[in-house]
Amino acid sequence: MTIHTILKMGDPRLLRVAQTVPASDYDSDALHLLISDLLDTMAAANGAGLAAPQSGVDLQVVIFGSRESNPRYPDRPLVPPTVLINPVITPLTADGDPGGDMQEELDWEGCLSVPGLRGMVPRWSRIRYTGFDQYGDPIDRTVQGFHARVVQHECDHLWGKLYPMRVRDFSQFGYTEVLFPEIA
Ligand code: NI
């Protein structure tokens, strides 16, 4: 069990575009070790997700989801535990019509790299995401709501984006202990 230090906002390693994982590295000892460490680190921090760049690893690997309610997000629906590598996200319209308008929704987010703060962040309501698991098996899901939000937040770490960069209304950005004293 290895718990890594999570890099905090201001560290330039959080601003890189992460490298893709070569197909030859799927199901390798090094990849399984990385994912095991990320899972331990996320669990120790009560995270809803964690991206490899947050532990200083410059690879397109994210993990998210949980089997039980998370104390940092007590009212949120469960998201299946997922390892997602080399992801691609496509925003979808509400009815899947490719000619229609994509919808955004606003909700609160936090981040283990931005401790103690929460902000109101716009995300696509409905997305398709594809990629691979740690064995190289393809993942292809269409999701919405909180699941879609978690995927967009974690994958943003792979493009060097932290959620405060997406906040539009800074009157809805502040300390968790003030905004949500019941969970701080
Ligand atoms: Ni984050």
Side-chain angles (χ1 to χ4, degrees), residues 42 45-49 65-66 68-76 78 183:
M42 181 175 82
N46 285 324
S66 65
E68 52 195 44
S69 178
N70 183 320
R72 290 183 72 239
Y73 299 94
D75 301 325
R76 302 304 180 87
L78 294 183
I183 60 171

Side-chain angles (χ1 to χ4, degrees), residues 54 110-113 153-154 157:
Q54 292 179 277
C111 180
L112 297 174
S113 293
H153 176 114
E154 294 312 325
H157 283 293

Side-chain angles (χ1 to χ4, degrees), residues 6 29 72 81 97:
I6 296 175
D29 290 347
R72 290 183 72 239
D97 170 12

Side-chain angles (χ1 to χ4, degrees), residues 17-23 25-26 58-61 85-88 158-159:
V17 176
Q19 304 292 311
T20 54
V21 175
D25 286 1
Y26 292 136
D58 186 23
L59 287 172
Q60 289 190 21
V61 177
I85 298 170
N86 297 342
V88 174
L158 307 180
W159 329 132

Side-chain angles (χ1 to χ4, degrees), residues 1-160:
M1 177 153 176
T2 309
I3 295 168
H4 287 276
T5 302
I6 296 175
L7 303 184
K8 291 183 189 167
M9 183 168 64
D11 191 304
R13 288 172 288 179
L14 291 169
L15 303 177
R16 297 184 293 199
V17 176
Q19 304 292 311
T20 54
V21 175
S24 56
D25 286 1
Y26 292 136
D27 205 18
S28 65
D29 290 347
L31 185 59
H32 289 306
L33 180 62
L34 168 63
I35 288 160
S36 168
D37 289 354
L38 289 174
L39 287 167
D40 291 343
T41 303
M42 181 175 82
N46 285 324
L50 189 67
Q54 292 179 277
S55 66
V57 176
D58 186 23
L59 287 172
Q60 289 190 21
V61 177
V62 301
I63 61 171
F64 54 83
S66 65
R67 288 192 177 80
E68 52 195 44
S69 178
N70 183 320
R72 290 183 72 239
Y73 299 94
D75 301 325
R76 302 304 180 87
L78 294 183
V79 175
T82 301
V83 173
L84 180 64
I85 298 170
N86 297 342
V88 174
I89 293 178
T90 308
L92 300 174
T93 59
D95 56 5
D97 170 12
D101 288 329
M102 268 84 75
Q103 289 180 355
E104 285 182 348
E105 56 191 45
L106 285 163
D107 207 346
W108 292 100
E109 292 187 16
C111 180
L112 297 174
S113 293
V114 191
L117 293 163
R118 295 284 168 109
M120 189 67 93
V121 183
R123 299 287 185 187
W124 301 117
S125 303
R126 194 162 176 270
I127 60 167
R128 176 186 179 195
Y129 68 95
T130 60
F132 298 88
D133 70 10
Q134 64 270 49
Y135 303 100
D137 292 325
I139 292 171
D140 185 343
R141 293 178 183 158
T142 296
V143 300
Q144 55 197 346
F146 182 61
H147 188 158
R149 175 171 298 276
V150 168
V151 174
Q152 290 170 85
H153 176 114
E154 294 312 325
C155 292
D156 255 0
H157 283 293
L158 307 180
W159 329 132

